[in-house]
Structures are given as structure tokens and as C-alpha cells.
Amino acid sequence: MSERKQENRLLLILSVLLFFSGVLLPELIGFLSSDYNSMSNYLSELGAVGAEYSSFINFFGFFPVAIIALTIVLILRKRLYGYRLAELGLLLLGIGIFMGYMVSFFFPCDYGCPVEGGSLSNSIHNLNALITYLVEVTGLILLSFGLKRVASNQTRFLVFFAAFITIFGIVMMLNPTQFEMKGLWQRSVEYTTFALLIFLSLNLKEQTVN
């Protein structure tokens, strides 16, 4: 089997694992958890201190997602060699996802994920969330413009759409009137970035600078 076919197979496997650990597993744990609603509760609340299945979701959800997403990005980055804006954007996206989930693993929020106060771990968790989303949005915007002369119109449109959904979701999360829907808005952000990584894993071809 050629190196390229092996790489494509690896990306396919990683995409399946990302979907399982990043989407399917959290929704399953959320469904099984008492006093938890995916529409109104953050994903981080599944791994919060004292949560029913916190150890399980942290070790089989948050930690793997951080490693898998960054690995996918590092593989895909090689296919954009020479297109520095696109490379940087993709790398920032991967770093943002890695930071978000790895810090959630090591510094879980307090039960209920209070926005203010709480333990040192809770404060680190909340500060990291702000930094993470800033890095991810910056990465998506740079990737959108960096792919201008690289990818197909369909791919560029999907990246722009992902950037729009991410920004819109973050704004809605910060909107006090949407407090009861914060879980839904956060999922729109997280699952959109996962969907984009999976799409790029299956569709992004190696590019050659002319």
C-alpha cells in the first residue's frame, strides 16, 4: 500500500474516532446523565467535578478529541505546504481545539460550570474557553482566505460557512437572553469544527505551489 493510501486510511480512522469521541459519546453521556439537558448545559458540565460520568467522558471523550483533532490537522497541514496563510489558519484551528479539550481534561470546571468564582481549576477552565474560541475563530478566518487559490469553491464555501456558524454560536452563547440555550449554541460551534475537520480529511488533496 502506498504512503498516500496509508495516510488517507489513517485520516478516515481518525475521522471516525473524532465523531465517536467528540459527538456521539458526549450526547450519549448527556442522555444518561440525570439533571442534564444538551440544550441548556455546556459540554464541559459532563466532565465537571462531581458529575456522574466525569471520569469516563474525560478519558474517553475530551482527552482523545484533543489528540485526534491535532493529529488530523498536522497531517492535513502537509497538504497545504507553501500556502502559508492556509497552513497557519489550519494550525490555529487545531491548536484551539487541542487547548479547549486538553485543558478541560486537566482543569475541569466546578459542578455546574459557574461563570464567576469557584475553584482555581474552574477559573483556568473558563479563561481557557475564551482563549480557545478566539484562536479557533482566527484560524477559521485565516483558513477561509488562505484557501482562496487552493481548494474548490465547495470547500471554500464550507470553510466560510463554518467560520460564520462558529462566530454566530459564540455570540449567542455570550448573549444573556440565550442562557437556556447555551448548550445548543456551544454544540453548534464544537460540532461544526469537527464536521469541517472530517470533511477536509476526506476531501482535501495535496496542493502544489505554482
Side-chain angles (χ1 to χ4, degrees), residues 5-198:
K5 287 184 177 180
Q6 289 180 333
E7 188 175 273
N8 288 338
R9 176 171 290 186
L10 176 59
L11 284 171
L12 177 60
I13 294 171
L14 291 173
S15 295
V16 172
L17 292 175
L18 180 62
F19 176 78
F20 177 80
S21 296
V23 180
L24 191 59
L25 187 61
E27 293 309 312
L28 176 61
I29 296 300
F31 176 77
L32 295 175
S33 300
S34 58
D35 197 28
Y36 184 89
N37 189 311
S38 295
M39 299 285 284
S40 57
N41 293 102
Y42 289 122
L43 287 164
S44 295
E45 293 182 57
L46 294 171
V49 177
E52 286 181 82
Y53 302 98
S54 59
S55 295
F56 189 86
I57 194 67
N58 279 322
F59 280 98
F60 296 100
F62 297 166
F63 184 80
V65 165
I67 301 300
I68 293 168
L70 187 60
T71 302
I72 289 175
V73 163
L74 292 178
I75 294 173
L76 291 177
R77 182 170 171 256
K78 295 188 299 182
R79 300 187 177 185
L80 295 172
Y81 181 75
Y83 294 91
R84 297 196 175 180
L85 193 60
E87 275 190 87
L88 177 59
L90 185 62
L91 187 59
L92 286 176
L93 177 60
I95 290 173
I97 296 173
F98 178 83
M99 286 173 53
Y101 283 86
M102 192 58 76
V103 172
S104 293
F105 175 78
F106 285 108
F107 299 97
C109 60
D110 297 339
Y111 191 81
C113 290
V115 177
E116 297 180 354
S119 65
L120 176 61
S121 179
N122 188 77
S123 298
I124 293 174
H125 182 97
N126 290 338
L127 177 61
N128 179 70
L130 295 175
I131 298 173
T132 292
Y133 285 133
L134 179 60
V135 171
E136 287 185 21
V137 168
T138 302
L140 283 169
I141 292 173
L142 293 180
L143 182 61
S144 299
F145 288 101
L147 289 176
K148 185 176 181 181
R149 293 183 297 174
V150 181
S152 65
N153 290 333
Q154 179 190 33
T155 299
R156 294 202 308 273
F157 171 79
L158 287 174
V159 175
F160 273 113
F161 182 71
F164 172 79
I165 292 296
T166 300
I167 294 171
F168 183 76
I170 293 171
V171 170
M172 296 304 286
M173 269 196 292
L174 297 175
N175 186 341
T177 65
Q178 294 295 311
F179 181 77
E180 293 300 321
M181 300 289 287
K182 63 182 183 293
L184 175 64
W185 294 120
Q186 186 191 34
R187 281 166 170 78
S188 72
V189 172
E190 302 296 334
Y191 296 168
T192 295
T193 56
F194 293 162
L196 179 63
L197 283 186
I198 292 172

